[in-house]
Amino acid sequence: MRAVRIHQYGSTETLQLEQVDIPVINADDILIKVKSSSINPVDWKIREGYLQDFIPYKLPVTLGWDVAGIVAAVGDSVTDFNVGDEVFSRPEISRDGTYADFIAVKADEVALKSSKLDFGQAAALPLAGITAWQCLVDVGQVQAGQRVLVHAGAGGVGHLAIQIAKAKGAIVIATASAKNQALLTTFGADQAVDYNQGTLLEQIEPVDLVVDTLGGEVQSQSWALLKAGGMLVSIVEQPSEDLAKEHDVKGAFVFIQPSSRILRELNTLVEKDQLMPFIEHRFPLDKIAEAHLQSQSGRTRGKIVIDVS
């Protein structure tokens, strides 16, 4: 089969499309024939070596940790899936990934794909969707009527977070550049904020929950936007405990793990027409370097999908 692997850390030149053996599955695995994958920032961060101390791979490794496809084989102990099922997953990040024709995935990391999603849409949902869900629901415990601020609302995690928060009955404020204001409204934001038109404090009334997808100065400014007892949840850097105490709020950091439970929750929202990933770019597998460069530009709206087969 084909697989895009890296043999060393570095630029996009390290991405090599190669012929390798189809994975051998364990008893608790399923083998998925990959139809689509998608790009997430963690892909190129791993490629460039930023996470090698955190995730010590034995190179070469196949990148990519979103997948939608068709079950090609099941392990001896697997009872929940059958050959031919259409599924999607965010697989365990320590194993070979999804830039390949086939991938072996633990069955408990997989869910059946909604019929309302094509394979590209389904592949765009797992990592970013699980991240948004964990920030809002599992950690943030968002409640109907609460005010939620989503930074970078046009981005991969942000646009899904807006939709999930709205589905939970929250009032959603989202930030983006001027050209993406209308898009935020399309996703369901009640207030679209152009971060170039004054400070956040000048534009946003106090909120109950902040979903921080940017870190740095944006995170620093966000503490003052929270109501007493509120929470800032970040996916990019650990919030300061001292600043949280100073503002009488809570801070939390989310680094997601595979979750078939959350995938099923996301499916439920899709079935209710409350959630749909937005795809701005699609690339074939042999253009994976271009897809990485697009992600690294920081200018992608929604998701980048890789059409594998």
Side-chain angles (χ1 to χ4, degrees), residues 11-291:
S11 70
T12 55
E13 294 180 359
T14 64
L15 296 166
Q16 301 295 318
L17 182 60
E18 302 173 337
Q19 289 290 325
V20 301
D21 292 336
I22 293 174
V24 176
I25 59 174
N26 300 318
D28 58 350
D29 284 341
I30 65 173
L31 183 69
I32 299 174
K33 178 175 176 54
V34 180
K35 300 293 286 184
S36 297
S37 179
S38 85
I39 303 290
N40 297 284
V42 70
D43 299 8
W44 52 263
K45 289 178 181 179
I46 288 173
R47 188 204 76 223
E48 294 205 339
Y50 295 141
L51 301 180
Q52 58 184 303
D53 293 334
F54 184 66
I55 311 172
Y57 291 107
K58 181 180 179 182
L59 301 181
V61 65
T62 303
L63 301 181
W65 288 278
D66 270 327
V67 64
I70 299 171
V71 176
V74 298
D76 292 341
S77 65
V78 175
T79 58
D80 294 337
F81 297 96
N82 298 297
V83 172
D85 285 344
E86 296 184 352
V87 295
F88 70 140
S89 175
R90 186 280 198 178
E92 169 55 48
I93 204 166
S94 63
R95 300 178 73 177
D96 276 325
T98 62
Y99 299 171
D101 289 320
F102 292 89
I103 182 174
V105 183
K106 286 190 178 299
D108 62 6
E109 298 170 358
V110 179
L112 294 173
K113 175 183 77 65
S114 167
S115 62
K116 290 193 173 184
L117 299 170
D118 64 28
F119 285 108
Q121 292 166 329
L125 194 53
L127 192 151
I130 292 173
T131 301
W133 183 278
Q134 287 195 329
C135 288
L136 289 161
V137 183
D138 290 353
V139 177
Q141 298 183 343
V142 64
Q143 302 296 315
Q146 286 187 323
R147 290 171 54 80
V148 175
L149 171 60
V150 177
H151 286 301
V157 172
H159 86 287
L160 298 175
I162 292 171
Q163 297 176 66
I164 293 169
K166 287 299 295 181
K168 294 297 182 180
I171 300 164
V172 181
I173 303 96
T175 66
S177 62
K179 68 177 182 179
N180 290 324
Q181 296 294 291
L183 195 59
L184 298 182
T185 304
T186 300
F187 297 142
D190 298 286
Q191 180 185 354
V193 174
D194 179 354
Y195 50 74
N196 290 314
Q197 296 298 314
T199 68
L200 297 179
L201 272 172
E202 292 171 333
Q203 300 187 73
I204 301 172
E205 296 295 324
V207 300
D208 299 282
L209 177 63
V210 173
V211 178
D212 169 32
T213 63
L214 297 171
E217 182 61 27
V218 171
Q219 184 181 109
S220 297
Q221 293 179 33
S222 295
W223 294 110
L225 297 170
L226 283 163
K227 299 177 183 178
M231 177 178 284
L232 184 151
V233 184
S234 179
I235 64 171
V236 286
E237 62 180 89
Q238 183 71 48
S240 165
E241 291 184 11
D242 291 338
L243 287 174
K245 290 178 182 178
E246 180 182 325
H247 289 87
D248 191 23
V249 297
K250 299 176 183 177
F253 177 75
V254 166
F255 188 87
I256 75 158
Q257 298 297 324
S259 175
S260 59
R261 170 186 63 85
I262 297 177
L263 292 177
R264 292 191 294 271
E265 296 277 13
L266 298 175
N267 256 344
T268 297
L269 296 186
V270 169
E271 292 291 332
K272 292 179 178 179
D273 296 322
Q274 294 178 313
L275 181 67
M276 183 59 65
F278 175 78
I279 299 168
E280 184 172 42
H281 300 282
R282 300 182 81 127
F283 294 88
L285 187 62
D286 61 0
K287 300 294 185 182
I288 195 71
E290 293 179 26

